[in-house]
Amino acid sequence: MKNFYPLLKKMPLFNGIKENELSGLLECLSAKTKKFDKTATVLMAGDVSSFVGVVLSGAVQVVKEDFLGNRTILAKLEAGELFGEAFACGKNHILPVNVYTVEKSEILMINYRKMITTCTSSCVFHNKLIENMLGILADKNQMLNQKIEILSRRSTREKLIAYLTAQAQKAGNASFMIPFNRQELADYLCVDRSAMTNEIRKLREEGVLQVERNHFELLHHN
Amino acid sequence: MKNFYPLLKKMPLFNGIKENELSGLLECLSAKTKKFDKTATVLMAGDVSSFVGVVLSGAVQVVKEDFLGNRTILAKLEAGELFGEAFACGKNHILPVNVYTVEKSEILMINYRKMITTCTSSCVFHNKLIENMLGILADKNQMLNQKIEILSRRSTREKLIAYLTAQAQKAGNASFMIPFNRQELADYLCVDRSAMTNEIRKLREEGVLQVERNHFELLHHN
DNA sequence: AGAGGTATGTTGTATTTACAACAAAAGAGA
DNA sequence: TCTCTTTTGTTGTAAATACAACATACCTCT
């Protein structure tokens, strides 16, 4: 376990907790590590789970299956990434997704009740952990909200404008770079790439924005 | 303030905290109430906020404005509802929205740092409050994730199937009621009502589902 | 029962999008 | 530099959607 401490130390969940304080904390949490084969099921849809999972090594896939049997890969999580936190901390503990390993993996399982029940020895790191968890959920909330705001728009054009507006706001500047290439941007906006590129051209022709590769500039023209 | 205790007691944030324990807790939080006129600005986009707001009386609107000046009302919050929690608890404290009163209102402001810093008198309610906050954020995460999963689908048909699948899963039954009328469902799925109704008819004709008003049944046919 | 209002279903048309196929540009490697 | 690969831009067509307008069903109140 000790060899994972440097990894844990870098995680937002253990932010502010020193490497030499981790062992006490993990014991206090009764955190257990579990080993999985290359192709194993970590959690199944319908399972009741009150654990926060941390990928220590290997990688897992979060997969959603609808009633027609269509599979959608929602995420691939690698070492240092978290899963199941919303179902551990929320009222509903029933998972709507499957979690499979795609490599030989080790997973750290942290029990939710142990996490929120501060220990008798009034362990300061414990409080820090809860604060970190709160922050992680809040940050995710912000991200998800921003994405919903974009996906709520009906047309590709409106989605683009919503996204670019948010990016400009984030950059604090009407001129900014985006972290996606065209295909990735189209995937994020859930639209067709060619239709999106077309829309970008139109917006440029209309003088709404300037574009060069990943660099965008919104042009205000009252 | 005391007259709001019955309201607070019913809120998820104060779940498990008795009415007679509230006054101690609120003092411990240094929670402040602020009064606003019928048309006042509570928070402005760009503001830095580390407060969780609770609507005690009246009502507020959460409004998003894009760089072209288009206004979208994201929510109307009434007595007992919470706002700003993701920006109080997250890393980013800069609000992307405006919050306006639409009635003469009273707002309870709870400082984030006071909330997460458990008091010296090791107040049990304080820990309960943090647990509740964690639960609220986690629940919201689940809701937002589910909505994104639906909005990520390209077509009205796929959005419908994704929504209905989730509802069936939630009900634990292929036969279930939905809490929306047609227009509300269309708004939730971000599609046109008539196009959606059309799609429902097609799905019914294809034998994928049975419908009667708000009652749906998904038909499995391997 | 009848009137008025609201919710739902239906249809036609203009617009937008997805999809496919290809052209052009940029980048990587020998 | 030349070739191969990847990314981006462009175009045409079929399909899906939004929108508008209207018909029908349902509900509520008197």
Side-chain angles (χ1 to χ4, degrees):
Chain A
M1 184 61 210
K2 277 221 156 48
N3 38 334
F4 293 120
Y5 285 3
L7 174 71
L8 295 182
K9 205 189 110 191
K10 283 186 208 136
M11 289 177 57
L13 182 59
F14 297 104
N15 183 31
I17 297 169
K18 295 194 187 110
E19 223 174 296
N20 57 26
E21 299 164 343
L22 275 171
S23 101
L25 177 61
L26 291 177
E27 189 169 349
C28 170
L29 291 169
S30 315
K32 306 258 188 299
T33 61
K34 249 187 172 174
K35 294 185 185 186
F36 293 89
D37 287 339
K38 182 173 177 172
T39 315
T41 301
V42 180
L43 290 168
M44 271 180 54
D47 280 1
V48 170
S49 165
S50 295
F51 289 89
V52 175
V54 176
V55 181
L56 292 174
S57 68
V60 303
Q61 264 184 359
V62 182
V63 179
K64 174 84 187 187
E65 291 176 17
D66 73 13
F67 85 110
L68 295 173
N70 303 316
R71 289 164 54 97
T72 314
I73 297 169
L74 297 179
K76 184 183 178 186
L77 306 177
E78 307 193 325
E81 296 195 274
L82 217 64
F83 65 90
E85 70 280 5
F87 295 92
C89 303
K91 271 201 289 282
N92 167 35
H93 297 285
I94 303 172
L95 289 171
V97 292
N98 297 298
V99 180
Y100 303 115
T101 55
V102 288
E103 296 173 25
K104 202 175 165 213
S105 306
E106 281 179 89
I107 310 287
L108 179 71
M109 318 278 270
I110 302 174
N111 184 302
Y112 166 67
R113 287 241 65 90
K114 287 273 168 62
M115 190 175 78
I116 57 155
T117 311
T118 41
C119 38
T120 47
S121 52
S122 72
C123 147
V124 274
F125 320 126
H126 210 138
N127 286 323
K128 184 65 184 159
L129 186 81
I130 295 171
E131 181 182 339
N132 290 343
M133 194 71 225
L134 210 56
I136 288 167
L137 287 171
D139 288 343
K140 209 157 200 173
N141 246 291
Q142 288 188 34
M143 271 180 39
L144 295 173
N145 256 318
Q146 192 189 303
K147 181 150 189 180
I148 282 180
E149 200 195 312
I150 290 163
L151 296 185
S152 295
R153 310 296 166 132
R154 304 295 179 85
S155 65
T156 299
R157 160 180 282 249
E158 283 183 311
K159 282 175 183 154
L160 256 175
I161 290 177
Y163 173 74
L164 295 174
T165 301
Q167 290 301 303
Q169 194 167 356
K170 199 170 142 192
N173 198 315
S175 172
F176 54 92
M177 305 282 285
I178 65 169
F180 295 134
N181 66 26
R182 292 289 182 272
Q183 184 60 61
E184 288 167 341
L185 179 57
D187 288 344
Y188 182 77
L189 302 182
C190 297
V191 296
D192 181 72
R193 181 194 59 79
S194 68
M196 184 193 73
T197 302
N198 242 322
E199 213 57 54
I200 290 175
R201 178 173 52 78
K202 283 185 201 162
L203 287 169
R204 196 181 48 209
E205 284 171 3
E206 291 168 22
V208 179
L209 49 80
Q210 283 191 332
V211 194
E212 178 145 355
R213 288 267 167 175
N214 293 7
H215 180 265
F216 286 75
E217 180 167 0
L218 296 176
L219 305 173
H220 294 249
H221 42 145
N222 332 329
Chain B
M1 185 58 210
K2 278 222 157 47
N3 37 334
F4 293 120
Y5 285 2
L7 174 71
L8 295 182
K9 206 188 110 193
K10 282 186 209 135
M11 290 177 58
L13 183 58
F14 297 103
N15 183 30
I17 297 168
K18 296 198 187 105
E19 223 174 295
N20 57 27
E21 300 163 342
L22 275 170
S23 100
L25 176 61
L26 291 177
E27 188 169 350
C28 170
L29 292 169
S30 315
K32 305 257 190 298
T33 60
K34 247 186 173 176
K35 294 185 183 185
F36 292 90
D37 287 337
K38 180 171 178 172
T39 314
T41 301
V42 179
L43 290 167
M44 270 179 56
D47 279 2
V48 170
S49 165
S50 295
F51 288 90
V52 175
V54 175
V55 181
L56 293 174
S57 68
V60 303
Q61 266 183 357
V62 182
V63 179
K64 174 85 186 186
E65 291 176 17
D66 73 13
F67 86 109
L68 295 173
N70 302 317
R71 290 165 53 96
T72 313
I73 298 170
L74 297 179
K76 184 182 177 186
L77 305 178
E78 306 193 327
E81 295 195 275
L82 219 63
F83 64 91
E85 70 280 5
F87 295 92
C89 303
K91 272 201 287 285
N92 167 34
H93 296 287
I94 303 172
L95 289 172
V97 293
N98 298 299
V99 179
Y100 303 115
T101 54
V102 288
E103 295 173 24
K104 201 171 166 216
S105 305
E106 279 179 272
I107 310 286
L108 179 71
M109 318 279 269
I110 302 174
N111 184 302
Y112 165 67
R113 286 241 66 90
K114 286 273 168 60
M115 191 175 76
I116 56 154
T117 313
T118 41
C119 37
T120 47
S121 52
S122 72
C123 147
V124 276
F125 320 125
H126 210 138
N127 287 323
K128 185 63 185 160
L129 186 81
I130 295 172
E131 182 183 338
N132 289 342
M133 195 71 224
L134 209 56
I136 288 167
L137 287 171
D139 288 343
K140 210 158 200 172
N141 246 289
Q142 288 188 34
M143 270 181 39
L144 295 173
N145 257 318
Q146 192 189 302
K147 181 150 189 179
I148 283 181
E149 201 197 311
I150 290 164
L151 295 185
S152 294
R153 311 296 166 131
R154 304 295 179 85
S155 66
T156 299
R157 161 181 282 250
E158 283 183 311
K159 282 175 182 155
L160 255 174
I161 290 176
Y163 173 74
L164 294 174
T165 301
Q167 289 303 303
Q169 194 165 357
K170 199 170 142 193
N173 198 314
S175 171
F176 55 90
M177 305 282 285
I178 65 169
F180 294 136
N181 64 28
R182 292 290 183 269
Q183 184 60 61
E184 288 167 342
L185 179 57
D187 288 343
Y188 182 77
L189 302 181
C190 298
V191 296
D192 181 73
R193 181 193 60 81
S194 68
M196 184 193 73
T197 302
N198 243 322
E199 213 57 54
I200 290 175
R201 179 172 51 78
K202 284 184 201 161
L203 287 169
R204 195 181 46 206
E205 284 170 2
E206 291 167 22
V208 179
L209 49 79
Q210 282 190 334
V211 195
E212 178 146 354
R213 286 267 168 175
N214 293 8
H215 179 266
F216 287 73
E217 180 166 0
L218 296 176
L219 306 173
H220 295 251
H221 42 142
N222 330 331

